[in-house]
Amino acid sequence: MKPVRRIAIVGTGTIGAGWATHYLARGFDVVATDPAPGAETALRAYVEAAWDAVTTLGLSPGASPDRLTFTADMRDAVAGADFVQENAPERPQFKVKLFAAIDDATPSDAIIASSTSGITMSVIQTACRHPERTVIGHPFNPPHLIPLVEVVGGRKTAPETIEAAMSFYASIGKRPIRLKKELPGHVANRLQAALYREVVYLIEQDVLDVAAADDAVSWGPGLRWGVMGPNLLWHLGGGEGGIRHFMDHLMGPMAEDMWPTLGHPQMTPELEQKIIDGVLHEADGRSIDELAAQRDAMLLALQAVRAPYERTGERTGERTGDALQTVRS
């Protein structure tokens, strides 16, 4: 992959704006495009509001909001890009046409990544003349604060493109994971969906209310998941015998006794309203902006706590710790 100096952001909603903020904080020139009225004003306001947070994480040399430019002309935006991050609406036919247009207008040695949360790259790249350089680079919201990026190619994506995307995301402080197969929704969203299905079922069955369900996650397993994934935590749960003891003596009974009882709720209008009422009661009058600010402050604090414990030499082959240090220098 050639050196990346100029990033094109296609689509500047919440995800695109978060990506733009992250790339600016990493010292890139960023050109953004979006046909929506008022898109440039909204994007610049987002970057300005988020800049304190990325400053806390640490800015790369040359980082500045002043390196952001905007154009309503998509072809102009991608014409000189070294890397494209697409964040358009989640409509398959729209994505297919958009990617074909981006592919046609972008330099042939640039990688084109999609932030799509559910559509596979094999679908998106259908009409591209150069599908080998297209790849999924799915972030987690907000992209300027959450390190995870899911990387997966389509049937026509070149292996070199996937490797280059993995290395690039790691080099800018992200935590990329490579998916070996395509699945609708990728991986992390499917994990969220599996958990939330059970949350909805428990609310439906009047086992607990909305606020208690949130507490059950955020003050219990959610705290542990913030420092280790479930597989490593089960290793600890096995005691001196570790994961082997857990699998032999605990996972079997759990799978046999509990898994069959997990629910399959029906999202009726009544259940939907029950959740809405519960969420608004839990929010207790706090605005979306106030809740987001609280979330972001805690995310920053958690990452600061985790930073000294990060290991180098991760599965990407990149020294992730060094990459993070570069980001913060």
Side-chain angles (χ1 to χ4, degrees), residues 57-264:
L57 285 175
L59 302 176
S60 296
S64 172
D66 295 336
R67 297 180 74 168
L68 172 65
T69 58
F70 186 93
T71 174
D73 187 329
M74 186 277 293
R75 297 182 69 87
D76 182 56
V78 304
D82 302 311
F83 193 94
V84 178
Q85 191 80 47
E86 173 271 328
N87 320 275
E90 294 287 288
R91 301 197 301 270
Q93 290 185 342
F94 179 79
K95 292 270 196 188
V96 169
K97 292 180 180 179
L98 177 61
F99 250 66
I102 294 173
D103 180 42
D104 185 60
T106 306
S108 59
D109 54 356
I111 288 178
I112 308 172
S114 176
S115 298
T116 179
S117 60
I119 308 171
T120 64
M121 182 47 66
S122 289
V123 171
I124 295 173
Q125 66 187 194
T126 303
C128 291
R129 289 190 300 142
H130 301 287
E132 68 279 356
R133 47 116 166 225
T134 62
V135 67
I136 300 292
H138 173 241
F140 245 53
N141 190 39
H144 61 287
L145 297 182
I146 302 292
L148 179 67
V149 181
E150 298 175 306
V151 178
V152 59
R155 285 189 293 271
K156 298 179 180 179
T157 302
E160 294 81 5
T161 298
I162 298 173
E163 292 298 332
M166 290 286 292
S167 295
F168 173 64
Y169 284 129
S171 75
I172 60 171
K174 288 297 186 181
R175 186 71 168 223
I177 60 171
R178 179 173 181 173
L179 278 56
K180 298 178 181 180
K181 296 180 180 180
E182 292 183 289
L183 281 173
H186 315 314
V187 169
N189 275 336
R190 293 174 70 93
L191 296 175
Q192 284 193 136
L195 173 62
Y196 195 60
R197 184 180 71 178
E198 186 63 17
V199 167
V200 170
Y201 174 73
L202 295 172
I203 294 171
E204 178 192 51
Q205 296 297 309
D206 285 325
V207 175
L208 74 180
D209 60 24
V210 169
D214 280 351
D215 284 348
V217 174
S218 64
W219 289 100
L223 282 177
R224 299 193 302 188
W225 293 334
V227 296
M228 290 182 184
N231 294 300
L232 198 56
L233 286 169
W234 290 147
H235 183 47
L236 300 181
E240 290 300 320
I243 189 64
R244 183 173 297 280
H245 177 81
F246 185 87
M247 287 293 175
D248 289 344
H249 299 283
L250 299 173
M251 179 54 74
M254 181 188 300
E256 183 176 336
D257 297 337
M258 188 184 301
W259 285 3
T261 72
L262 297 177
H264 297 273

